[in-house]
Amino acid sequence: MEDDTAEEEDAVSVQSVDRALDVLEALSEHGGQAGLSEIAATTGLPYGTIHRLLQTLLARGYVRQESDRRYALGGALVRIGGVAERMLAVWAEPYLARLVELSGETANLAVLEGDYVVYVAQVPSPRRLRMFAEVGRRVLPHSTAVGKALLAGRDDAEAVFRRTGLPRRTDRTITAVGELLEELGRVRDRGYALDLGEEESGVHCMAVPVHDGGRAFAAMSVSGPAERIDAVDREELAAMLRKVAEDFGAAVFRS
């Protein structure tokens, strides 16, 4: 009887953890902050359950309450997120190295932080003329292949573009919201994103999203001089990228 009671208590505890993570993910999906009704609509949890979970998360610093009574992701997540991002870079290195070996070009891993793309890992090409995107560099997503790959699967891409203002980086940068949304549609259709000199003149890049089984949590890319990237069969390069990205995503989230 005591064993049965202990198992039931463990099941309730595990369910509470699962639901608390649902609440945190809901806040993330709403851009980092949301009201109680938005969290309920996203998670499907009762208001009372959400309120109890939020009180615990507030006490631990994983959530904070704003002056307008909405809830936001808390500072405690910054510490955990920073460590996780560094680990992600370590895990990505052998996969990026495989991409370099297969393509001969520089391979990158990037994530979306707020409205910016951040490069978290890179393995450079062994060639003398090669491309560099400094690890830790923050760029706006509209002019990069990794940014387009990350935003193509999101519902808030238009809002991101309107907030950032779409500054022109080169004469090939797309600076119209409607045109960019059409480009994201093409990214979804073909399964990869391109930067054809839109971030830096003379540099071309191809990127694909890295999925956690559902959403894209990162983007993986290869970049190089335009003449070399253009000389490669685009579909073959995309297939290579997708395979490595799928393997990496599966390795990161394997149970």
Side-chain angles (χ1 to χ4, degrees), residues 125-155:
S125 167
R127 297 180 177 183
R128 181 172 298 178
L129 180 59
R130 56 192 178 186
M131 300 299 108
F132 286 99
E134 184 180 354
V135 172
R137 181 185 176 206
R138 295 166 60 86
V139 297
L140 292 174
H142 70 288
S143 56
T144 64
V146 285
K148 294 176 196 174
L150 285 163
L151 286 178
R154 292 176 54 134
D155 296 330

Side-chain angles (χ1 to χ4, degrees), residues 1-8:
M1 182 67 71
E2 290 181 0
D3 287 345
D4 290 344
T5 302
E7 288 180 5
E8 289 174 3

Side-chain angles (χ1 to χ4, degrees), residues 90-111:
V90 172
W91 296 332
E93 187 169 348
Y95 295 89
L96 296 178
R98 192 201 309 175
L99 268 181
V100 173
E101 183 179 352
L102 292 170
S103 69
E105 302 296 350
T106 296
N108 310 282
L109 186 77
V111 298

Side-chain angles (χ1 to χ4, degrees), residues 14 29 35 87-88 97 105 115 147 162 167 170 178 189 198 209 215:
V14 170
E29 288 177 17
M87 291 304 301
L88 189 66
E105 302 296 350
D115 291 343
R162 294 195 182 281
T170 73
D189 290 341
E198 297 156 53
R215 291 163 294 185

